[in-house]
Amino acid sequence: MYKERPALHVSTFILERGFLLVFFAIFVRHIRPYAFGGTLGGAEYQPLPWLIGLLGFLLLFAVFLRSHSSWPQWLRISLRVAGWIGAVLFLALVRYPDGSGFDPARMDIIIMLLANMVVFGSLIYVLTQNNLLGRLAVMAVFVAMRLVHMQYDIAMAAGGQEAIKNIPYVMHFFHGAAPTWIDRVWNATPASWLYNFSWLKYLLIVLPGSIAGDQLRSWLSQRKRTRTPKERNTLIFVCLIVLALVIVSLAGLFSRRVFLTTMIAFALCLAGWLPLRNAKSTDLHFIKMFVWGSFWIVLGLILEPFGGGIKKDNSTLSYYFLTSGLSYCILIFFCIIIDIIKKRKSFDLLILNGQNPMIAYVGMANLVLPLLYLSYLFPWLKELLAPYPWLGFLLALGQTLLLAWIVSIFTKKKLFWRT
């Protein structure tokens, strides 16, 4: 079912995909209407920034559109070539209000990080796809616990009775630590806008995701169509457990009830594992990814105190592992609800947007907002609702649903943006 491809072909595809995402990251920031004055200083009624935004969207459409196989070859090639020529000319000629022009450092950092993850994460996966060592996971737990306890050692050594015992750990903090070769590698970069070694820390999210991908692929190739009432009840129970894990983790850590959150999460992980430990059917077999998801959650919660608590910026170890585990939970939840319990129709809007994420990513700034502002109705409506927070929330919700509806139309028409 899943045909192996030559290593050279795979490597070429990975590098090509990385290049396209790098271009996407740079071009997206150069076509943002805000960069040309839109919505700044009362400029909502100036049409030019919004027209430029729409032009940028059309150029991206031509560059990234996966053409229908039924289209004539000359049309597919012409569309792609015209898109690239238009995009290059735009970058060469563009001028912003401050007099600046094209600058590769003017890039979308989120997409640039994703480009790096696509290249390095994919290459690592190709080299290690048959090399999962569970014992490393156990070692990681002990390393995480030691890292957290090290904070206590350092605090005690700074002025407590443990100073002598812990001097080897902390003397360099007080005498000024010279950069090591690790520090030099960590900050190494040929071009700061394109690549930084420190960005590879996000592989701690990507690689757990690759494990989930393998498990999901295995389930898709083996899943069964019928289930006993007991199996169905087990699936529903697991569905509730993973949903509870997400809610408890988000609410508990946001309110900083770390210990209580950790204990409840550990109990939920155990409760979800018990009915799965002897699962034999193929439907329940794929839920064994729950064990991996639980491991990442446990590891993330153990690491939570390290670095002053979980943070996205600057990101902490807890952030990588806990978000990976919660992502496993969401994946399990939707697999059960959509593919097993057959409630797909309720999530069609999400599915259709998930199948076209690149359009969804730029659609608000370069399609929805330009259309709304060029109508001259939106700025007036926004000012009218500004004193009323909940009405403002409903307006923002309406914008989001409008974007989701537009993306779903593109998807239904099989107009996909792909790298």
Side-chain angles (χ1 to χ4, degrees), residues 23 48 70 72 74 88 107 119 161 173 196 203 218 239 245 257-258 286 310 341 351 359 418-419:
F23 167 76
L48 184 59
S70 60
W74 67 266
V88 171
M107 52 83 183
V119 173
Q161 296 299 316
F173 287 119
N196 191 299
L203 288 171
S218 176
C239 193
L245 274 168
R257 299 178 181 272
V258 179
F286 100 96
I310 187 170
I341 301 181
I351 294 170
I359 296 182
R418 290 285 190 265
T419 52

Side-chain angles (χ1 to χ4, degrees), residues 33-309:
Y34 308 106
F36 298 92
T39 76
L40 299 178
E44 287 91 346
Y45 294 96
Q46 296 180 10
L48 184 59
W50 306 113
L51 290 173
I52 293 175
L54 285 174
L55 172 63
F57 182 84
L58 293 175
L59 291 174
L60 283 175
F61 207 95
V63 170
F64 287 99
L65 178 66
R66 177 184 288 178
S67 305
H68 285 274
S69 57
S70 60
W71 294 3
Q73 186 174 9
W74 67 266
L75 178 60
R76 287 183 279 167
I77 295 176
S78 299
L79 185 65
R80 184 66 59 88
V81 170
W84 277 108
I85 292 175
V88 171
L89 287 175
F90 180 91
L91 294 176
L93 301 175
V94 66
R95 289 295 178 270
Y96 299 96
D98 61 0
S100 64
F102 169 72
D103 181 358
R106 190 194 299 267
M107 52 83 183
D108 189 306
I109 185 61
I110 295 176
I111 301 299
M112 191 63 76
L113 287 172
L114 288 175
N116 279 259
M117 293 306 99
V118 162
V119 173
F120 292 100
S122 299
L123 291 175
I124 291 172
Y125 174 75
V126 169
L127 295 173
T128 62
Q129 57 184 315
N130 299 314
N131 188 24
L132 281 177
L133 300 177
R135 70 191 69 176
L136 294 180
V138 177
M139 292 175 59
V141 171
F142 284 97
V143 171
M145 295 175 69
R146 183 66 200 110
L147 286 173
V148 173
H149 187 63
M150 200 161 132
Q151 290 188 125
Y152 175 80
D153 289 340
I154 293 173
M156 291 298 295
Q161 296 299 316
E162 298 286 322
I164 296 176
K165 187 174 75 173
N166 291 306
I167 277 179
Y169 293 138
V170 298
M171 283 299 293
H172 66 285
F173 287 119
F174 300 103
H175 292 283
T180 66
W181 67 270
I182 293 178
D183 298 313
R184 295 187 181 95
V185 170
W186 188 256
N187 296 310
T189 174
S192 59
W193 56 269
L194 177 64
Y195 161 84
N196 191 299
F197 186 88
S198 65
W199 293 353
L200 299 186
K201 60 191 177 185
Y202 292 104
L203 288 171
L204 295 177
I205 298 174
V206 172
L207 296 181
S210 70
I211 298 174
D214 281 340
Q215 293 165 336
L216 184 61
R217 184 179 68 175
S218 176
W219 170 69
L220 288 172
S221 64
Q222 303 173 25
R223 59 180 171 174
K224 59 187 290 186
R225 303 300 176 184
T226 60
R227 286 159 297 280
T228 66
K230 182 179 178 181
E231 289 173 339
R232 185 180 179 87
N233 291 337
T234 300
L235 292 172
I236 294 173
F237 177 74
V238 172
C239 193
L240 294 175
I241 288 290
V242 295
L243 186 60
L245 274 168
V246 174
I247 295 173
V248 167
S249 298
L250 293 179
L253 294 181
F254 181 79
S255 62
R256 302 310 301 153
R257 299 178 181 272
V258 179
F259 178 73
L260 179 61
T261 300
T262 301
M263 293 300 101
I264 295 175
F266 287 2
L268 288 171
C269 289
L270 179 61
W273 172 76
L274 288 174
L276 297 174
R277 67 190 188 280
N278 296 318
K280 295 180 180 179
S281 77
T282 53
D283 270 344
L284 293 182
H285 177 73
F286 100 96
I287 303 292
K288 288 184 178 179
M289 74 170 67
F290 180 88
V291 175
W292 273 100
S294 297
F295 167 71
W296 300 125
I297 290 173
V298 169
L299 186 58
L301 288 172
I302 290 174
L303 283 165
E304 207 281 339
F306 189 75

Side-chain angles (χ1 to χ4, degrees), residues 328-374:
Y328 270 70
C329 290
I330 294 297
L331 179 61
I332 292 170
F333 175 82
F334 281 118
C335 283
I336 295 173
I337 293 294
I338 294 173
D339 290 302
I340 296 177
I341 301 181
K342 305 299 182 184
K343 297 295 182 182
R344 178 187 176 94
K345 190 171 183 181
S346 302
F347 296 94
D348 263 352
L349 192 62
L350 289 176
I351 294 170
L352 293 171
N353 277 256
Q355 292 173 344
N356 235 341
M358 297 180 73
I359 296 182
Y361 191 82
V362 301
M364 183 62 73
N366 288 89
L367 181 61
V368 172
L369 287 180
L371 292 175
L372 291 175
Y373 275 104
L374 288 172

